Amino acid sequence: MDANMAIFNGLLKGLGVTLQVLIYSVLLALVLSFIIGFMSLSKWRIPRWSATLFIEVFRGTSLLVQLFWLYFSLPILGIRLPAMLVGVLGLGLNYGAYGAVVVRTSIRAVPKGQTEASIALNMSPYRRMRSVILPQAFLIMLPTFSNLTIELLKGTSLISLVTLADLTFQALALRSATMETTQIFIYLLIIYFIIAYPITLGFRWLEKKQSVGRG
Amino acid sequence: MPRTSDASLLNQEPYVKYRNIGMKFGDTEVMKGINFDILSGEKVAMIGPSGSGKTTLARMLMTLEKPTEGTIEIGGKLLWHRRANGKLVDANLKHLRQVRGQIGMVFQQYNLFPHMTILRNVMEAQVHVLGLTKKEAEDRARKILKKVGLEHKCDAYPAQLSGGQQQRVAMARAVVMKPKIMLFDEVTSALDPELVGEVLEVIREIAEEDEMAMLLITHEMAFARDIADRVVFMADGQIIEQGPPEQIFNYPQHQRTKNFLSRFSTEFH
Amino acid sequence: MWSWDFAISILPQLLQAMVVTIEATIVGFIVATVLGLFWTICRRSSIKPLKFAVVAIVEFVRSTPLLVQLYFIFFVFPTFGITLSPFSAGVLGLGLHYSTYLTEVFRTGIDSIPKGQWEASTALNLSKIKVWTHVIMPQAIPPIIPMLGNYFIVMFKETPLLSAISIVEMVQAAQIIGSNSFRYVEAFTDVGVIFLLLSYPASLLFQYTERRIQHRFDLSVKASKIEEDHYATNK
């Protein structure tokens, strides 16, 4: 019983770090998704190409490689970042690249007729985006954003490998201290699931709310 | 309602002028050398087989498709171009927005905004394009929705309406912007046959009450004959012939027109 | 700072580790396919508890981190007498995790087959196995090949996690090089570039096949672009 409590308390210490990194990197990824997503839809070459470069580099080189690169290489290049920032930056950049693709495809997925109707009503491009295209694209984005958030949550476990004391890190520490391997890892998996499930439910609720009245 | 026999016979400056219009998709030329006028307040019906270029002509006027050749003028102003130092240059967005405020369009697929209620569909552009207050826009929206018989559907969403009802909303949404010319692009083609009547009825009402010009692309021959001042027959990207409805439907001059109309013959004999 | 000589000199070592990375991806993908098909079959089963259990397993595995699952297999299995080599544990974890994604892909493929195909098979009195092997699968698999390909690339990019259970794949190799020479920049940059060089062309290839498969040409796209042109060039 005591051992159980000790394990549980130990893991809870890591929970705070995991949640903090999760929230910050979700915010960073969201902002990047829209900025890079819009850039990739631009008519000008330079923003479009930079967006493509960003997307392909961060999607193509594997999250752990990016985290290690930030963690090990930056100090050698003279840039010292707190471990927390490395985690948030690595996760945010990586999932921001995936999110940008979601933003781009969702905006493109809004039927052409909607754009044409907005032009026929003489709306400005800004108004068309704001009133007509984005609200519809947003609904298309939601399920994929839900999945991406879960992916990001799972990705936070990788920060344990750059010495951030998150849930996974604490579990490994507890394991060497108590050797209660089975319990520790079962608890750990359950805690992750308990964080993930409300996220999924929350997105489903949002989707339902957003799709009121739409066939 | 005055019936103009032939635009060119009247000494009236046309409201819309298509001049030497050509259209290419890649290497295929689908339209060439089209000249075509619409007078102020004139109701023009455009008929012809599908793929003949009728829709393209309307979409060019709505600034949805840019002609690869020629110019379009509306109300004395160039639509797709502007003059700079005596030369024609492509119009910018500001110019396009200025000019196309006079044009409205109703689409075959309605294209209502699915995430807005019916009322907001009709209000949105009034508020953000015409700059009306929400109160004014709502009053006008309710009034026009009543006119198309849908005042009880104000809070519904498009998906909850039948095709015919959606198309009536689309017309209300376009008419409320008070355009000088309205384009109807095969607005009954996507509808179940039993819903066609209610939509045509609304068009007839608009045609009778309003001063605006109309370009009506349609396959409803009886209806075209009924409300149009002039009927234009198009085929293969060419205007084959045009004239008053009686002339086109009863005494077509060209073999192509005769062939086309013979498919609808039961309606006229 | 950056040394080209060093960056090039470590390439043979990294490419050797790349072989492990690719092996792990391929074996992991096979495990994921087999398990994924198994989940799919179970979910179509008429036995309710089995169906429910599989749905729960899939949901749970997909919602929890692969890294933790790898630790679980590597550290917890031995306490039940199942000791696996790091490589076996790694590909099992990778395969198990992605089987929960592949089962969705298989389901999409099977669901996309028109009802008439099943009815026609019944009308022809085909055996159940014949129906699956001769009618359903030949139609369900081709459309999902690009999706399967994409998951293959995703799994390839997830292999660095295997370094956590002491498999010397590329990232682990880079770390060893880095700690010996303290030249982390070259080591991790090399690894990043190798990943990019392998995954990017592959993803282009699958995008291309995807476009070929859902080949629809739409002229109207061109038309509505005009407005954008005007906005962009004149703003």
Side-chain angles (χ1 to χ4, degrees):
Chain A
M1 200 61 215
D2 252 9
N4 266 330
M5 275 315 279
I7 291 168
F8 208 71
N9 285 336
L11 286 176
L12 280 188
K13 269 193 272 174
L15 180 65
V17 176
T18 294
L19 289 180
Q20 225 174 323
V21 170
L22 174 67
I23 290 166
Y24 290 147
S25 40
V26 163
L27 289 178
L28 177 60
L30 192 65
V31 171
L32 283 174
S33 300
F34 277 92
I35 295 176
I36 308 290
F38 275 112
M39 277 168 65
S40 72
L41 288 167
S42 164
K43 260 293 142 196
W44 297 296
R45 272 187 210 143
I46 291 172
R48 214 172 56 227
W49 286 352
S50 348
T52 307
L53 187 70
F54 179 93
I55 289 169
E56 298 310 341
V57 165
F58 283 100
R59 286 200 314 175
T61 55
S62 185
L63 176 58
L64 190 61
V65 177
Q66 288 156 30
L67 280 173
F68 278 172
W69 202 94
L70 290 171
Y71 183 75
F72 287 110
S73 305
L74 282 186
I76 293 171
L77 300 172
I79 306 162
R80 242 165 227 297
L81 299 176
M84 175 74 92
L85 192 56
V86 168
V88 170
L89 212 56
L91 289 162
L93 290 168
N94 188 273
Y95 287 97
Y98 284 95
V101 179
V102 177
V103 169
R104 179 176 66 194
T105 25
S106 304
I107 287 176
R108 280 194 184 148
V110 176
K112 284 277 151 340
Q114 294 293 309
T115 302
E116 297 189 345
S118 320
I119 293 174
L121 290 169
N122 206 9
M123 288 184 184
S124 67
Y126 167 78
R127 178 49 53 191
R128 182 174 75 214
M129 195 41 95
R130 172 84 181 57
S131 287
V132 179
I133 308 297
L134 264 189
Q136 296 184 62
F138 187 63
L139 187 65
I140 305 172
M141 288 171 206
L142 277 180
T144 326
F145 270 165
S146 172
N147 291 339
L148 271 184
T149 312
I150 301 298
E151 292 299 319
L152 200 156
L153 164 68
K154 294 191 291 178
T156 60
S157 66
L158 270 62
I159 61 176
S160 65
L161 299 172
V162 291
T163 68
L164 260 167
D166 75 326
L167 276 168
T168 307
F169 187 90
Q170 294 291 0
L172 290 171
L174 283 168
R175 176 180 169 267
S176 44
T178 66
M179 290 315 276
E180 298 281 357
T181 311
T182 313
Q183 264 148 308
I184 293 168
F185 282 104
I186 286 177
Y187 285 161
L188 183 60
L189 285 170
I190 291 173
I191 292 174
Y192 274 113
F193 185 73
I194 290 174
I195 306 173
Y197 206 59
I199 295 177
T200 311
L201 291 182
F203 270 103
R204 262 184 227 158
W205 173 82
L206 201 59
E207 206 186 324
K208 215 172 179 176
K209 207 182 123 202
Q210 286 291 315
S211 54
V212 166
R214 298 189 223 183
Chain B
M1 196 167 35
R3 293 217 148 163
T4 48
S5 53
D6 193 332
S8 57
L9 293 179
L10 282 168
N11 245 348
Q12 189 185 344
E13 182 64 11
Y15 180 59
V16 175
K17 289 194 255 183
Y18 289 78
R19 285 295 170 269
N20 198 27
I21 291 293
M23 189 68 175
K24 273 183 187 169
F25 287 118
D27 284 335
T28 30
E29 193 165 57
V30 293
M31 202 176 270
K32 201 186 169 191
I34 293 224
N35 291 297
F36 175 57
D37 294 339
I38 302 170
L39 303 179
S40 294
E42 192 187 15
K43 323 295 185 206
V44 179
M46 201 169 250
I47 59 171
S50 25
S52 58
K54 302 167 299 202
T55 293
T56 307
L57 225 46
R59 289 169 60 85
M60 283 172 178
L61 189 55
M62 192 62 261
T63 67
L64 294 173
E65 254 167 89
K66 189 178 183 179
T68 42
E69 242 179 86
T71 59
I72 302 175
E73 245 179 68
I74 175 161
K77 273 188 178 162
L78 284 167
L79 181 63
W80 281 103
H81 305 88
R82 64 201 163 87
R83 267 178 235 287
N85 305 326
K87 272 195 286 186
L88 279 187
V89 292
D90 284 352
N92 57 20
L93 182 73
K94 198 178 148 204
H95 176 91
L96 278 179
R97 288 202 65 210
Q98 245 172 32
V99 183
R100 75 175 169 221
Q102 311 165 53
I103 312 159
M105 183 161 181
V106 184
F107 300 87
Q108 186 178 345
Q109 297 296 339
Y110 341 128
N111 294 343
L112 293 183
F113 304 134
H115 58 299
M116 298 181 190
T117 61
I118 298 309
L119 189 65
R120 252 199 83 196
N121 258 283
V122 183
M123 284 172 62
E124 193 70 10
Q126 291 190 68
V127 173
H128 293 293
V129 177
L130 300 183
L132 300 185
T133 66
K134 281 205 167 149
K135 179 81 183 60
E136 292 170 310
E138 187 178 335
D139 288 348
R140 291 177 47 165
R142 286 190 187 278
K143 220 166 113 192
I144 196 120
L145 282 168
K146 191 170 179 193
K147 205 164 152 191
V148 300
L150 290 168
E151 72 270 36
H152 58 295
K153 292 287 186 190
C154 280
D155 298 320
Y157 284 88
Q160 296 159 342
L161 268 55
S162 74
Q165 290 173 327
Q166 289 192 54
Q167 196 58 296
R168 277 146 65 194
V169 175
M171 283 192 269
R173 183 175 73 172
V175 170
V176 84
M177 300 295 285
K178 297 220 179 298
K180 296 243 172 62
I181 179 165
M182 271 280 270
L183 314 173
F184 296 87
D185 184 14
E186 303 197 15
V187 293
T188 56
S189 299
L191 295 174
D192 291 335
E194 71 271 21
L195 301 176
V196 170
E198 60 184 75
V199 171
L200 295 183
E201 209 37 59
V202 172
I203 300 177
R204 190 192 305 275
E205 249 173 70
I206 298 170
E208 280 167 7
E209 288 175 25
D210 243 298
E211 291 293 289
M212 69 176 97
M214 282 187 179
L215 179 61
L216 185 77
I217 296 164
T218 186
H219 291 297
E220 301 288 333
M221 296 304 153
F223 185 71
R225 175 194 179 104
D226 214 22
I227 74 153
D229 300 321
R230 175 159 56 111
V231 175
V232 179
F233 174 70
M234 268 191 94
D236 296 330
Q238 298 285 322
I239 292 178
I240 306 292
E241 70 175 295
Q242 50 181 319
E246 303 78 42
Q247 181 195 317
I248 299 293
F249 287 117
N250 296 339
Y251 311 104
Q253 303 296 304
H254 287 258
Q255 192 54 41
R256 296 214 55 175
T257 321
K258 286 178 195 163
N259 292 345
F260 177 75
L261 286 173
S262 68
R263 289 196 272 139
F264 300 88
S265 59
T266 46
E267 284 178 47
F268 306 111
H269 291 289
Chain C
M1 281 296 242
W2 170 268
S3 156
W4 281 107
D5 285 344
F6 187 75
I8 291 163
S9 73
I10 58 175
L11 276 181
Q13 224 173 320
L14 290 175
L15 290 177
Q16 218 172 352
M18 186 184 84
V19 176
V20 179
T21 294
I22 290 174
E23 274 171 4
T25 311
I26 292 171
V27 180
F29 189 76
I30 293 168
V31 174
T33 307
V34 173
L35 271 175
L37 277 172
F38 178 71
W39 303 138
T40 311
I41 293 163
C42 290
R43 290 210 290 192
R44 297 184 64 89
S45 147
S46 49
I47 310 161
K48 279 261 160 67
L50 177 68
K51 217 162 131 176
F52 180 78
V54 167
V55 169
I57 290 170
V58 166
E59 183 73 28
F60 188 81
V61 171
R62 207 181 9 199
S63 304
T64 51
L66 170 59
L67 182 62
V68 177
Q69 289 160 10
L70 288 172
Y71 286 143
F72 193 91
I73 293 169
F74 195 60
F75 293 136
V76 178
F77 277 24
T79 64
F80 295 97
I82 309 164
T83 308
L84 299 169
S85 71
F87 187 83
S88 312
V91 294
L92 181 61
L94 198 61
L96 171 68
H97 193 81
Y98 281 96
S99 70
T100 63
Y101 291 78
L102 292 196
T103 179
E104 289 299 331
V105 176
F106 292 131
R107 193 169 67 159
T108 316
I110 293 167
D111 284 353
S112 69
I113 292 182
K115 218 174 143 208
Q117 295 295 309
W118 295 94
E119 288 168 356
S121 308
T122 311
L124 292 170
N125 200 18
L126 295 173
S127 73
K128 213 168 178 181
I129 291 171
K130 275 265 161 62
V131 174
W132 278 101
T133 54
H134 283 68
V135 182
I136 303 304
M137 279 312 181
Q139 295 183 76
I141 297 291
I144 61 172
I145 285 174
M147 279 191 267
L148 293 175
N150 280 328
Y151 276 116
F152 185 81
I153 302 170
V154 171
M155 288 176 72
F156 170 65
K157 288 184 292 195
E158 288 279 79
T159 51
L161 267 63
L162 305 187
S163 65
I165 53 170
S166 74
I167 295 176
V168 186
E169 43 62 70
M170 272 193 287
V171 169
Q172 182 79 341
Q175 226 169 343
I176 292 167
I177 293 168
S179 61
N180 287 340
S181 63
F182 218 69
R183 302 208 72 103
Y184 284 106
V185 185
E186 288 85 349
F188 286 122
T189 306
D190 276 3
V191 173
V193 170
I194 295 172
F195 266 106
L196 193 63
L197 285 181
L198 288 174
S199 69
Y200 185 54
S203 76
L204 284 185
L205 178 76
F206 288 119
Q207 269 173 39
Y208 171 76
T209 45
E210 196 162 6
R211 236 173 285 144
R212 281 287 301 267
I213 283 169
Q214 28 176 259
H215 186 245
R216 281 187 220 134
F217 187 65
D218 188 4
L219 264 181
S220 66
V221 174
K222 211 154 81 191
S224 51
K225 269 195 176 151
I226 292 163
E227 166 80 2
E228 315 291 337
D229 283 331
H230 274 268
Y231 183 47
T233 46
N234 297 302
K235 197 187 165 191

